């Protein structure tokens, strides 16, 4: 759908030149435009089922309304073109109509392309967002030891200072929780020459 300002400008444009078209057209031409609108409206009414399945616009709510919109649009377009021809001449009117059609098609293609890209961007953002990590206090001792070993690898891969700071903070949290659960086992692990990527689990179990 066109932006609100563009739709408003188009409606004003059609109203002004449509009024000129009504004023300058002979009665026979007005009757022809109305008959054409009637034919288009009937076709829109008959094809409303197909419109319901292919269009997402909220205005397509009933078969009769589809037909009425199609008829009104057909008559408005004919009268607007008639007004353009009366004011600008045939060549200039044709140029204006082509410009309006091209501009509308451009916006339609641009918006459709943006709508197709939006889900992909959402998926990429979701995939790149880090999964929420459980607090250390809610993890078992085995999970804490495994998280400690994984965090060492993550620390080696972290390129940015913020990422490294985050990993270091989590590693400190793991150490604090392990010491809180088993101070003696934690001390034995440190006395054994604890390594940054080592596994302290066997020191934290009974008899370790």
């Amino acid at each position: 759908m066109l932006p609100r300002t563009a739709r408003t400008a188009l409606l004003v444009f059609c109203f002004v030149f449509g009024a000129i078209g009504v004023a300058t057209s002979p009665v026979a031409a007005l009757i022809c435009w109305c008959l054409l609108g009637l034919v288009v409206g009937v076709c829109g009414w008959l094809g409303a089922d197909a419109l319901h399945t292919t269009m997402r616009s909220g205005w397509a709510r009933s078969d009769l309304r589809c037909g009425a919109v199609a008829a009104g649009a057909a008559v408005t377009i004919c009268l607007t073109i008639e007004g353009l021809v009366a004011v600008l001449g045939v060549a200039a009117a044709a140029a204006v109509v082509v410009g309006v059609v091209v501009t509308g098609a451009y916006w339609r293609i641009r918006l459709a392309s943006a709508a197709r890209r939006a889900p992909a961007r959402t998926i990429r953002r979701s995939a790149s967002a880090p999964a929420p990590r459980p607090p250390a206090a809610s993890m078992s001792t085995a999970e804490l030891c495994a998280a400690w070993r994984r965090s060492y690898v993550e620390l080696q891969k972290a390129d940015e200072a913020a990422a490294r700071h985050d990993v270091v903070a989590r590693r400190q949290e793991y150490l604090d929780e392990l010491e809180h659960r088993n101070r003696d086992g934690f001390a034995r692990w440190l006395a054994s020459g604890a390594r940054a990527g080592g596994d302290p689990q066997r020191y934290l179990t009974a008899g370790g």
Side-chain angles (χ1 to χ4, degrees):
M1 182 177 294
L2 292 175
R4 181 181 296 273
T5 54
R7 296 199 305 271
T8 302
L10 182 61
L11 289 175
V12 173
F13 176 84
C14 291
F15 176 80
V16 171
F17 284 97
I20 296 174
V22 172
T24 58
S25 297
V27 176
L30 293 176
I31 294 176
C32 289
W33 300 146
C34 291
L35 291 176
L36 176 62
L38 178 62
V39 172
V40 173
V42 171
C43 292
W45 173 50
L46 295 176
D49 289 339
L51 289 175
H52 290 324
T53 59
T54 58
M55 297 188 67
R56 299 179 181 178
S57 301
W59 60 264
R61 296 176 182 174
S62 67
D63 295 355
L64 183 60
R65 190 169 184 178
C66 287
V69 170
V75 174
T76 300
I77 291 172
C78 291
L79 291 175
T80 301
I81 294 175
E82 184 74 23
L84 283 171
V85 172
V87 174
L88 304 177
V90 176
V96 171
V97 171
V98 171
V100 171
V101 172
V102 170
T103 302
Y106 166 77
W107 275 103
R108 180 70 180 86
I109 295 173
R110 180 177 177 180
L111 294 176
S113 177
R116 287 194 299 269
R117 291 196 302 267
R121 289 196 298 266
T122 302
I123 292 173
R124 284 197 294 269
R125 284 198 297 266
S126 300
S128 61
R133 302 180 185 276
S138 67
M139 302 167 67
S140 66
T141 299
E143 289 174 339
L144 274 174
C145 294
W148 165 259
R149 297 196 306 273
R150 284 197 305 270
S151 66
Y152 176 74
V153 178
E154 294 173 3
L155 185 61
Q156 304 305 309
K157 294 181 179 180
D159 296 328
E160 300 179 358
R164 293 180 63 86
H165 182 271
D166 177 70
V167 177
V168 169
R170 284 191 287 110
R171 284 173 64 81
Q172 185 61 52
E173 182 183 359
Y174 297 152
L175 289 178
D176 292 343
E177 182 63 22
L178 290 173
E179 183 180 15
H180 173 73
R181 294 186 184 187
N182 190 337
R183 292 184 182 274
D184 293 337
F186 187 81
R188 290 196 299 271
W189 176 52
L190 293 180
S192 70
R195 297 185 302 275
D199 186 1
Q201 183 172 358
R202 67 187 184 90
Y203 296 96
L204 302 173
T205 57

